[in-house]
Amino acid sequence: MSISDNCSNSPCCSYPGQDEDIISIIPLDIYKDNRGRSTSLCMDKNDQQYVYVSSPQLVGHIVAYGRTAGLSSEQVCTVMEHYDADVYISDGLYHSERADIRKRMTQHYRSAEVYFLAALQSQRALTEHECATQKSDTVEDKSVCHIIANVTVQCMLNHMTLQFIMGSNAASNAMTALHGAQARFAISEQRLLATCHTLNDKQATTADLQGGSGRAQAGVSPELEARWGSYDEKYAQLHKAAAPVMAGLAQQAAAIARMRGIGRAIIEEEPVTAGYGEKCNFSSSESEKAKKIHKRNLMARDVNLAFGNTPNMASILRQKAHKDANHRGEGDIEAGGNWKTQKRKRANSAPCGGQKGIPNDLSLAKQTRLKAYINFMRNTADSVGNLRLGSSVGNGLVGAGFDMPLTHDLKPTKQGEHLLKALQAYGLSELTIAEKKTDGGSPYTTGIFSTDKDGKRLASSRQIESVPEIFLDGFKLAR
């Protein structure tokens, strides 16, 4: 059972339309890991020193972990089954490749000019490398650097996918008991009302069912008192049966809120024409706020599609598949063939198989989930709101750590502070504590920052002192 099955009108599960703010609905204290520890992190106010790394040096702690860190092999299999990881995906920009949620899906722009122009349109200072690319075609030690590591966002997405699945399963498994409790409560309520009517007890009105106040003073009959006792018992059983269902729904809501929270933070740091904005035909009359709302809704849609939190998904996909099959046409049997051969050819040529070229609902759903998964990563973690040009040496040493963009005097930028707060609020606590882990597999190290031997936080980019004045009328990001 998913959120959309039980609360289709809830802001956390609807499609793009109005701006639904699940972050304001779900309190932060709901984001707990299995050990009950909150993911909201406390920063050490006495340790805010950063060092800009542009040449090799000794380090004290390098954050390095994979995209399934913290997940068991069984849990990884569950997530892979959810997305049907053997499906081939092509976004029209790169060669088709086997999508694997355990591996990196590189989707960011390679062109240095994109980051130069995005910085200017966002009205932030250029990094030294962004400025240098406009003066020379050959800039040494240049790299596209993620502020929040790509692996961090993808690992979050894998964890939250599993959490959503677990919440959905828990709610579904508890629904049988809930339905039984609802039926017993309804019977008890009907018997109570019937008894009230039979005894013509004016003191026991329907209003008493809401609170039951004043029953003891009403002087009700023993028969009616017995009905009240049964009613109270069934009401308590109903609440007990509803608890695991609500807990499962809360798990799903928290998973959605985490990913939407990190996505919204990145969208706020990019030009409106970047990321999800590339596919939007904004009108000139739309305000900046309206454009950002539209982009946030597209991001929310991808989160819902990836998790499978969509109403009537199977029916919608089935209708689309039939329409596509009818548009293609099945044709007649080729000369020299037989109906069994033709049927096998049509099934093999269809996405994920299926009779007469029509894939089954489950296969279609998995393809849709995986495409949304990839689209979310492309337009958040690999979007210009989370990227800038920096040192390739520094980028390598930072690893999976948070790569704070620095001002020319080595202070955190407003963009960096905003994204760090988002990571603090929505990141996975088990990945933000600086320690070495194995989890039964290869060793890896977690934490927020990679540091040098003196404990200073490593950063791979530094801004120049001022932004050159460049005329940007009509500028639009393009590949």
Side-chain angles (χ1 to χ4, degrees):
M1 176 184 177
S2 65
I3 296 176
S4 59
D5 295 329
N6 196 50
C7 53
S8 58
N9 295 324
S10 171
C12 59
C13 59
S14 57
Y15 279 97
Q18 61 183 13
D19 182 32
E20 310 94 12
D21 194 351
I22 190 175
I23 286 98
S24 65
I25 298 173
I26 306 298
L28 282 178
D29 60 6
I30 199 174
Y31 309 141
K32 303 282 186 177
D33 62 13
N34 292 331
R35 291 165 291 182
R37 184 170 52 209
S38 173
T39 63
S40 182
L41 308 173
C42 296
M43 296 302 298
D44 186 353
K45 300 299 181 182
N46 298 321
D47 183 18
Q48 293 291 331
Q49 291 185 314
Y50 293 86
V51 56
Y52 169 55
V53 181
S54 58
S55 59
Q57 60 178 275
L58 295 176
V59 297
H61 178 76
I62 295 182
V63 180
Y65 52 81
R67 283 153 176 79
T68 57
L71 297 176
S72 67
S73 57
E74 293 80 7
Q75 291 172 330
V76 172
C77 288
T78 299
V79 178
M80 291 184 69
E81 172 64 21
H82 177 80
Y83 290 112
D84 196 4
D86 290 333
V87 174
Y88 283 86
I89 296 294
S90 174
D91 60 4
L93 298 172
Y94 308 102
H95 296 294
S96 298
E97 58 181 347
R98 187 176 296 277
D100 191 339
I101 57 99
R102 299 168 298 180
K103 299 179 181 178
R104 179 175 181 174
M105 301 172 186
T106 303
Q107 303 180 85
H108 61 262
Y109 290 101
R110 272 73 164 181
S111 172
E113 184 180 7
V114 168
Y115 303 99
F116 171 79
L117 295 175
L120 293 176
Q121 194 181 30
S122 300
Q123 298 181 341
R124 68 166 174 81
L126 299 172
T127 66
E128 293 179 353
H129 290 79
E130 288 166 352
C131 187
T133 57
Q134 303 307 305
K135 299 177 181 179
S136 173
D137 293 332
T138 56
V139 177
E140 296 182 358
D141 187 36
K142 177 184 65 178
S143 177
V144 177
C145 304
H146 291 72
I147 299 175
I148 301 176
N150 177 284
V151 63
T152 299
V153 180
Q154 191 171 349
C155 194
M156 281 180 60
L157 188 53
N158 289 336
H159 274 261
M160 291 304 100
T161 298
L162 179 66
Q163 179 172 311
F164 188 93
I165 294 171
M166 292 173 63
S168 180
N169 291 342
S172 297
N173 293 338
M175 281 305 296
T176 301
L178 177 60
H179 288 156
Q182 287 174 328
R184 291 188 293 271
F185 174 74
I187 293 172
S188 176
E189 184 179 39
Q190 290 172 1
R191 288 175 175 172
L192 176 59
L193 290 172
T195 303
C196 292
H197 178 72
T198 301
L199 297 177
N200 193 23
D201 194 328
K202 297 181 180 180
Q203 286 77 18
T205 62
T206 304
D208 291 323
L209 296 179
Q210 306 301 323
S213 60
R215 291 210 312 264
Q217 294 79 17
V220 296
S221 65
E223 183 180 359
L224 184 58
E225 186 61 37
R227 293 299 188 193
W228 272 114
S230 176
Y231 174 89
D232 290 339
E233 180 185 357
K234 297 301 186 291
Y235 186 75
Q237 292 176 359
L238 177 62
H239 270 263
K240 184 177 180 180
V245 176
M246 299 307 296
L249 292 175
Q251 275 188 288
Q252 297 173 66
I256 293 171
R258 276 187 193 268
M259 301 317 302
R260 288 180 61 172
I262 209 77
R264 285 178 63 132
I266 293 173
I267 288 174
E268 288 295 321
E269 295 298 332
E270 66 187 13
V272 292
T273 53
Y276 284 103
E278 293 181 12
K279 296 182 179 180
C280 298
N281 295 320
F282 295 126
S283 66
S284 57
S285 61
E286 284 187 88
S287 65
E288 291 291 303
K289 181 179 180 180
K291 293 175 183 178
K292 287 183 178 180
I293 288 174
H294 186 59
K295 290 174 61 177
R296 291 200 297 262
N297 286 335
L298 291 176
M299 179 269 296
R301 181 198 63 180
D302 276 340
V303 173
N304 284 330
L305 287 174
F307 290 166
N309 183 46
T310 48
N312 303 320
M313 169 63 79
S315 176
I316 294 172
L317 295 175
R318 193 68 179 174
Q319 291 175 13
K320 183 179 183 299
H322 277 281
K323 186 182 295 185
D324 293 343
N326 292 334
H327 178 72
R328 290 193 303 268
E330 294 301 326
D332 297 324
I333 296 177
E334 297 176 3
N338 58 63
W339 69 271
K340 289 185 178 180
T341 303
Q342 297 305 314
K343 182 177 180 180
R344 185 161 52 250
K345 285 184 178 181
R346 288 195 297 267
N348 292 336
S349 64
C352 296
Q355 289 187 351
K356 296 186 178 180
I358 300 175
N360 59 63
D361 293 336
L362 181 59
S363 297
L364 273 171
K366 289 181 178 181
Q367 286 188 45
T368 303
R369 293 170 193 164
L370 185 57
K371 289 177 181 178
Y373 179 107
I374 295 172
N375 203 41
F376 176 86
M377 288 297 302
R378 177 186 177 188
N379 292 298
T380 55
D382 280 336
S383 175
V384 294
N386 188 47
L387 302 170
R388 71 271 179 270
L389 293 186
S391 163
S392 60
V393 173
N395 194 21
L397 292 179
V398 170
F402 185 89
D403 196 350
M404 178 67 79
L406 303 176
T407 63
H408 69 282
D409 56 354
L410 302 182
K411 300 295 183 181
T413 65
K414 291 183 179 179
Q415 176 192 23
E417 289 180 334
H418 179 214
L419 293 180
L420 178 58
K421 287 179 180 178
L423 181 60
Q424 289 176 285
Y426 305 108
L428 300 174
S429 61
E430 58 265 40
L431 297 180
T432 54
I433 300 171
E435 58 185 356
K436 294 183 178 181
K437 297 184 177 182
T438 58
D439 287 348
S442 302
Y444 61 92
T445 54
T446 57
I448 296 181
F449 296 100
S450 295
T451 60
D452 67 4
K453 56 185 179 62
D454 297 322
K456 295 181 180 180
R457 298 166 180 172
L458 304 181
S460 66
S461 68
R462 180 172 61 183
Q463 294 179 342
I464 60 176
E465 193 164 356
S466 60
V467 181
E469 294 184 3
I470 296 180
F471 186 67
L472 291 173
D473 186 30
F475 164 71
K476 182 178 180 182
L477 279 177
R479 290 190 185 274

